[in-house]
Amino acid sequence: SPTLTVKVGVSNFSPDYHMIGAGANVDLVTVSGGSGNYTYSWYLKNSNGVELTSNKNTASTSFSFICSQAGVLTAECVVTDNTTGKT
């Protein structure tokens, strides 16, 4: 069965130290290998894995946020193929 391949482009974000109030945007460049019928779930987590904000089950291929706390942050996107159910 096909495997989803995801490429992500990043603007003003890296998993480095961010200050409170700093903004960033994360964009998907390509998703391939599936049906083309996708939804996206975006998560921003701190260094302890605690979810700070999210945008789940959206058609949006980008995720913008304002940092609510300083520290090391991780942006994650889970892509779901709505036809096959694969992530």
Side-chain angles (χ1 to χ4, degrees), residues 2-27:
T3 300
L4 290 176
T5 303
V6 178
K7 292 185 181 179
V8 178
V10 178
S11 170
N12 299 323
F13 180 83
S14 64
D16 293 327
Y17 189 83
H18 272 75
M19 297 181 68
I20 295 172
N25 189 64
V26 182
D27 295 300

Side-chain angles (χ1 to χ4, degrees), residues 4-83:
L4 290 176
T5 303
V6 178
K7 292 185 181 179
V8 178
V10 178
S11 170
N12 299 323
F13 180 83
S14 64
D16 293 327
Y17 189 83
H18 272 75
M19 297 181 68
I20 295 172
N25 189 64
V26 182
D27 295 300
L28 284 177
V29 176
T30 61
V31 178
S32 62
S35 70
N37 179 15
Y38 308 123
T39 54
Y40 309 92
S41 293
W42 292 93
Y43 304 90
L44 181 67
K45 297 178 182 179
N46 68 15
S47 60
N48 295 320
V50 175
E51 185 179 304
L52 303 176
T53 188
S54 64
N55 187 9
K56 300 175 185 173
N57 300 316
T58 179
S60 180
T61 59
S62 65
F63 180 53
S64 297
F65 56 88
I66 301 295
C67 297
S68 60
Q69 65 181 239
V72 176
L73 305 175
T74 302
E76 176 183 1
C77 181
V78 177
V79 180
T80 302
D81 184 316
N82 295 316
T83 301

